[in-house]
Amino acid sequence: MSSRIEQIIEEIEEYVDSCKFQPLSTTKIVVNKEELEELLRELRLKTPDEIKRYQKIISNKDAILADAQSKADGIVANAESRARELVSQHEVTQQAYAQANATINRANQQAQEILDAATADANSIRLSAINYTDDMLGNLSELVNSTLADAGGKYRAFIEALQSTSDVVNQNRAELAPQAASDVDIAEDEAEPAEDEEI
């Protein structure tokens, strides 16, 4: 079962894939800022819960070791009880001691093997949880950095487009200005003979 963080990252990827490309571009897309920010907000809120979950998995290491220790103690106790029974029941005390020591040694060996296996399992669980959390945070970091870089590029492109439009408008005004001055001169020249005729 995937975590909520993985689901949100998949939703962000699906959302980015569903966005339309900018006109005349095959790499830049148009995104709904509010929708993307909502997904990032939820991702930010869920991250601490996921980390707590993995910390809980790591804390289970102690429970695994305690259970293994309990089983080992039980094996040793049973072996010692069996050894005492052998000593009391067997006619040859020396043979009973030998059997008892062998039983205790086997029990101690089994107990150590159980503890070693439990320690290895607990360490493996802890390492897996840490690696998984690190991978998730790494993916989140890459996604945020990519989103920031993409947003910065779009902002710069928008500013450049506005500047280009402003330059075109100013150039058009400059080209129209001499024509407007020329029209005023012509109108004044046409008005002067009429005044002379009245005089």
Side-chain angles (χ1 to χ4, degrees):
M1 183 177 69
S2 61
S3 68
R4 180 56 187 149
I5 286 182
E6 290 174 308
Q7 292 173 2
I8 295 172
I9 289 175
E10 288 175 3
E11 288 177 17
I12 291 173
E13 290 173 345
E14 290 173 2
Y15 173 71
V16 169
D17 289 340
S18 70
C19 289
K20 294 181 179 178
F21 287 103
Q22 284 187 349
L24 306 177
S25 174
T26 59
T27 57
K28 296 180 180 178
I29 59 173
V30 178
V31 298
N32 184 317
K33 181 180 177 186
E34 292 179 1
E35 192 170 345
L36 187 58
E37 285 178 346
E38 180 60 31
L39 288 170
L40 292 174
R41 224 180 346 265
E42 184 177 358
L43 186 61
R44 198 175 294 114
L45 290 173
K46 290 294 180 184
T47 299
D49 292 337
E50 289 291 319
I51 291 174
K52 287 177 185 176
R53 179 176 156 208
Y54 301 129
Q55 287 174 338
K56 186 175 180 181
I57 291 173
I58 292 170
S59 69
N60 285 341
K61 172 186 175 182
D62 294 335
I64 293 170
L65 291 174
D67 183 60
Q69 183 66 55
S70 175
K71 289 179 181 177
D73 290 343
I75 291 171
V76 171
N78 288 336
E80 289 175 346
S81 175
R82 178 64 180 152
R84 284 192 295 272
E85 289 174 9
L86 288 172
V87 170
S88 63
Q89 293 174 2
H90 206 280
E91 294 180 357
V92 183
T93 305
Q94 192 64 36
Q95 185 179 353
Y97 278 126
Q99 290 178 354
N101 286 335
T103 302
I104 290 172
N105 287 338
R106 282 196 304 273
N108 284 331
Q109 184 178 358
Q110 288 178 354
Q112 188 59 50
E113 288 172 0
I114 290 174
L115 281 174
D116 291 343
T119 299
D121 287 345
N123 286 336
S124 176
I125 290 172
R126 177 179 177 275
L127 186 59
S128 295
I130 289 173
N131 287 339
Y132 180 78
T133 302
D134 183 64
D135 288 343
M136 292 297 297
L137 293 176
N139 290 338
L140 176 60
S141 176
E142 290 177 8
L143 178 63
V144 170
N145 289 337
S146 173
T147 302
L148 285 174
D150 188 50
K154 290 175 182 174
Y155 177 76
R156 285 190 295 275
F158 177 69
I159 294 299
E160 288 172 4
L162 283 178
Q163 184 62 52
S164 175
T165 302
S166 175
D167 292 341
V168 169
V169 169
N170 289 334
Q171 183 179 354
N172 290 340
R173 289 188 67 205
E175 290 173 0
L176 289 174
Q179 182 64 40
S182 174
D183 290 345
V184 170
D185 291 342
I186 291 171
E188 289 177 353
D189 290 342
E190 290 175 352
E192 284 177 2
E195 291 176 1
D196 292 339
E197 289 174 6
E198 288 178 3
I199 293 173

